[in-house]
Structures are given as C-alpha cells and as structure tokens.
Amino acid sequence: MNVRAFVTEATRAGLAVALACGCVPDNVAFGPARSAADAAAPTLLTKVEVADAPWRTEALEQHPASIDGAPAIIFRGARLLVGDGTEIPVGHVVVVRGRITAVGEGPGEAPAGARVLDVSGKTITPGLIDTHSHMGVFPMPAAAAHRDGNEMTASTTAAVRAIDAVWAHDPAFQRALAGGTTTVQVLPGSANLIGGRATTLKLVPSNTAEGMHFKGAPDGLKMACGENPKRVYGNRTQAPMTRMGNLAGQRTAFLAAKKLIAQWEQFRVTELQRQTQHRDATQRFAAETKDRETKRAACAQKTARARDCRQWEASFAKESPKPPEPLEPRLPPDRDLGAETLAAAIEGRVLVHVHCYRADDMTRMMALADEMAFSIRSFHHALDAYKIRDVLAKRRISVSTWADWWGFKLEAWDGIPENLALIHASGGIPILHTDSDEGVRRMNQEASKAMWSGRHAGLGITDAEAIRWVTMNPAWALGIDAWVGSLAVGKDADLVVWDRDPFSVYAHAERVFVDGLERHQRGAPGRPRSDFEATP
C-alpha cells in the first residue's frame, strides 16, 4: 500500500497505527471473546513495506503463452530463413494455439487435427519488424489534423506517450501488414531533444491502440541530436540553437531525473526507518502490556508468590507502558512524468532510441549516456555509423538505418549504401528501418538493396544473415526477442510465406500470420480495416 493510500484509509477508518505499522491500535473495540491481555497485544506485520517510485511499479502486460482460437497448422516444404542466421533449405514449421511448437528439416509430424499447408517452393521468414515508424501518429491521409507525432511546444517533452496519439484505423497499418511487416515501434517525431515515449505494436485489427499493443514490450524513449532540434527551436529567445545547446538541454533533463531518483531513495530510506522504528516500538509496548497482564492474572489466580506480586504492583504503579504515537503518513516526492520517464530510462526500464546522423554526434550522445548512467539501445538513421562501427559493436548499440537514403540535408551527406553491411561485418547489430509508411510495405526489398551493396563491396553476406536485419536484430532492439524475431519453438507464430525468394524485387508476401492467425492473404477478398480503404 502506498502512502497516499495510507492517508485515504486513515481518514476513512481512523486506524493510523494499523495502516502505518500493520498492528491493531489500542483504541479498537474488541469483542467479549478476547481478553484484555489479547487486546493489548497488537497483531504485527512481519515486514515493513514502503511505496516505490511510480516508474518502478508500472506493470507491463503479461505476454500471453498462447492464443485462444488460433488453429493448429503445419507448413511443409518451404525454404526457412530462420532469423537467427541459419537457413533450412526444405523444412516445416508447426504452429499450435498461436505459438511455434516445432521447426526443422523435412515434412515434420502434423499434430492431430492440424491444418496442413503445402508451401513447397516458397520461403518462410519471421514477420518483419520496423524499429522506426510514425504510422498512427502521422496517419494517412496526410492532413494537419492528423499531425500528432511531434509535441513541439518545448524542446524536451519526455512526459508524452506515442500510444496516446496512435489512430488504430490508419490505413498504413494494413498496407504494411500486406508487405510482410507484423510489428512496428511507433515513435514521437524528431523535432524534440527528448520527444517522449515510443510504443511497440502488432499489426492486428483493433479499434484502439491499446488493442494493438505488443503485450510485455517495454516502452522506448525517443531522443534526437544534430540538425533537427536546433532547426526547429533555434532562435535568440528559445534554445537550442547549436549542438552545444542540444547537449545542454538533454543533460539538464537527465539531471532532473537523477535528482528525482535520489529524492525517492531518500524517501524510501527515511520511511523504512520510521516505520521500522514505529513497528518495533509498538511491538515492545505490546510485549510489556502482555507481560503486565500475565503477571496480574497469575496474582489473581494465586499462582505467583505474594512477594513477587507486591513487587510487581509497586513497579506498575510507578510507570505504565505507553503506546507509540500514531504514525502520520508522509507523502512521497511530487510526480513529474517527464523526469519519471527519464528515470526509467536510466534504470533500463525504458529503452533509449536516438535519432542521430553524424558520427561525432553519436560519440557525444554516448558520452552523455556514460555521464548520466543510461544505455543507448539503438541509433536511428545513423548514416555515419560505419565510421565508428567498431565502437558501436563493442558497446552493443544497434544501428537502425535505411538501405540508401542520403544527401537530403547536410548531416546526411556522408551516407553510403554499404553502411548496414559494414556494421554487420564488424560484429555490430545492423537493422533496416523505414521511417516511412510507404517504405514499410517493401522492407524485404530495402534489406535486399543493403545486402547486395555489401556483397558488391566484397563482404560475404548470406540471405540467412541479412534477414536478421529485419527480424531478430530489431526484435532485440525493441526488447521483444524472447517472443518474436526468429522461427523458434515457443515464440509467437508471426511469420510470412513469400511466393519466392523474399530478396527478389518480384517477391510478394503471399500469406501473413500474426499469433498463428492469418491476417493477410494476397488476392483474397477481405474486409478493410480502415474506412479509407473501403470501395463501393
């Protein structure tokens, strides 16, 4: 029970002592079945519990172990690009209640009553994952009324959450699914130094963003460096105007979060001491009271010596045990939603994703992370990442980038198409992202371009390795690799049946399954999820 609950309950019932220390106070009326000695002995809790910080007590939704109503299916005869860097030339995948129960070579054994799908000559991959999307917060059609992805009223807006703005009926979701994408991270835009919380969604039909939320997925934190914040805010009356101002603003925000962490730690230490001392004092009072009543009962029943009884009564007359004063509840530190989000990032409960193009900006952000004791999960866009690929690999910071975007602003001028392949060759964590509700429909082709650029540069990258760039690696970056990203036993049956090699420009996602339920079949009639896709 937290401290505010203590206040509410104490007001309602008048049991301040009981609420604070877990004991029954001396002013509670007892029934006739209890003796005076029993009444004087409070019932104590075995341990003291103190309210914890809000960002530590936010409960993540439990990821479901199975999906009710999802059928048993066996896929046979397909080439399997597993997502973990391996390939099975001809194999099978078994799905039961929305979860993968078997993967291997050959035809496999079908569970009783399973639907058998012959997918010979096709390729199965895990569902594709986009770490950088603004679908739902900048939805289609593009209109001013739909611009909900950037809270540009301040340079740091860590308190805002993308999920509060996601429009679940954005037509882009269904179109992305038709391209083989099954999971996306929706982030606030990159105007702000700290833009707020990102959310991870599964592309399933729902009337609400909460219905699409990937259960168990941690939130992300969107940050930005370089040109965007100083271009949006930079003038003589509003910071930041320079890269110096960028870092100063971010440093200031994280210092406030560290102060809040310290305040909570002090509150918890003080409360623990206070409540422990009060509990111990109450326990002593109860023990002394019970001892006194026991002695008086022994004297009344003449089971004690008269001399002892006289001595006891003399001592009782001099001093009576006094109960401790009621423990007044104390309120915890004031809520600060922005600082709480950054505190959660410092403690690793929220994963940090940074929009950053230039290598020097990335190194400065890593220095800030070291100074403020948080970890960066992924640099997004990161067109200069190849210049510091050894550093990124050593620090286990993933690189979420495009196949070949470059040159659209000065900090994007040094982008090269071999970026992803060089990150891969260095032992880093390359990720193909889109940042586009159009590009997300052909992530397979974008990954193919990056793979072939690497091959032409002499880097031997296999199909099985390249598919990781859009499956397992992004799953890791989003903190969901325990459930998706590869064709592995126990994982969600989020998978795509491609009509040919998915790295072909002619490839289509023929069938797309999410949690073992078929959500798209190419050419099959279906009800559109959005009014904007409806036809007469």
Side-chain angles (χ1 to χ4, degrees), residues 34 60 65 131 137 145 147 153 191 201 218 255 260 262 295 304 321 332 351 362 486 488 491 510:
R34 291 176 60 90
L60 290 177
T131 60
V137 295
R147 292 184 173 276
T153 52
L201 307 178
L255 284 172
L260 183 63
K295 289 176 178 176
L351 305 181
M362 287 182 257
S486 63
K491 289 197 174 184
E510 191 171 90

Side-chain angles (χ1 to χ4, degrees), residues 107-128:
E109 184 176 346
R115 179 184 177 192
V116 179
L117 292 181
D118 183 355
V119 285
S120 300
K122 305 181 189 303
T123 298
I124 294 179
T125 70
L128 309 188

Side-chain angles (χ1 to χ4, degrees), residues 3 58 171 204 259 270 285 308 313 320 344 348 367 438 473-474 479 504 516 528:
V3 173
E58 292 177 342
V204 297
K259 180 178 180 180
T270 302
F285 166 73
D308 291 338
E313 283 300 330
S320 297
E438 187 267 333
N473 289 358
S504 167

Side-chain angles (χ1 to χ4, degrees), residues 236-271:
R236 293 189 179 185
T237 60
Q238 186 178 17
M241 189 169 71
T242 63
R243 280 178 162 83
M244 294 184 294
N246 284 354
L247 269 295
Q250 290 161 337
R251 185 176 288 110
T252 298
F254 273 98
L255 284 172
K258 291 174 77 70
K259 180 178 180 180
L260 183 63
I261 292 173
Q263 289 172 340
W264 264 98
E265 290 307 310
Q266 182 60 45
F267 167 76
R268 283 177 54 77
V269 167
T270 302
E271 278 300 292

Side-chain angles (χ1 to χ4, degrees), residues 64 119 124 308 336 362 406 448 456 459 488:
V119 285
I124 294 179
D308 291 338
D336 183 331
M362 287 182 257
W406 75 286
S448 180
H456 290 164
L459 303 172

Side-chain angles (χ1 to χ4, degrees), residues 107-304:
E109 184 176 346
R115 179 184 177 192
V116 179
L117 292 181
D118 183 355
V119 285
S120 300
K122 305 181 189 303
T123 298
I124 294 179
T125 70
L128 309 188
I129 301 170
D130 192 354
T131 60
H132 194 115
S133 177
H134 300 297
M135 291 187 294
V137 295
F138 287 122
M140 302 168 65
H146 277 171
R147 292 184 173 276
D148 289 316
N150 265 323
E151 182 58 45
M152 293 192 291
T153 52
S155 61
T156 58
T157 56
V160 305
R161 308 185 311 167
I163 198 168
D164 293 332
V166 169
W167 183 43
H169 290 261
D170 184 355
F173 288 132
Q174 189 171 10
R175 296 185 181 191
L177 182 73
T181 300
T182 56
T183 298
V184 299
Q185 177 177 229
V186 177
L187 308 106
S190 55
N192 311 79
L193 294 170
I194 301 173
R197 292 200 184 207
T199 188
T200 299
L201 307 178
K202 282 204 177 193
L203 301 190
V204 297
S206 177
N207 286 324
T208 66
E210 288 73 15
M212 299 175 69
H213 185 246
F214 192 118
K215 292 180 173 57
D219 282 351
L221 174 68
K222 175 65 179 296
M223 296 179 63
C225 62
E227 290 183 23
N228 276 25
K230 69 194 192 87
R231 183 186 72 243
V232 171
Y233 297 99
N235 57 57
R236 293 189 179 185
T237 60
Q238 186 178 17
M241 189 169 71
T242 63
R243 280 178 162 83
M244 294 184 294
N246 284 354
L247 269 295
Q250 290 161 337
R251 185 176 288 110
T252 298
F254 273 98
L255 284 172
K258 291 174 77 70
K259 180 178 180 180
L260 183 63
I261 292 173
Q263 289 172 340
W264 264 98
E265 290 307 310
Q266 182 60 45
F267 167 76
R268 283 177 54 77
V269 167
T270 302
E271 278 300 292
L272 184 62
Q273 290 175 340
R274 250 178 22 104
Q275 294 189 31
T276 299
Q277 291 169 357
H278 190 272
R279 181 197 62 182
D280 293 345
T282 304
Q283 191 171 14
R284 287 193 300 272
F285 166 73
E288 292 171 5
T289 302
K290 186 171 183 179
D291 178 67
R292 177 177 294 214
E293 294 301 324
T294 300
K295 289 176 178 176
R296 280 180 169 166
C299 293
Q301 297 168 8
K302 300 188 183 302
T303 58

Side-chain angles (χ1 to χ4, degrees), residues 439-451:
V440 70
R441 305 176 215 166
R442 46 180 170 78
M443 287 188 74
N444 60 311
Q445 294 180 17
E446 294 298 312
S448 180
K449 288 193 291 183
M451 178 185 70

Side-chain angles (χ1 to χ4, degrees), residues 86-111:
T86 64
E87 175 180 343
I88 299 174
V90 179
H92 65 275
V93 180
V94 179
V95 173
V96 178
R97 291 173 59 82
R99 300 294 175 257
I100 298 172
T101 59
V103 179
E105 297 179 349
E109 184 176 346

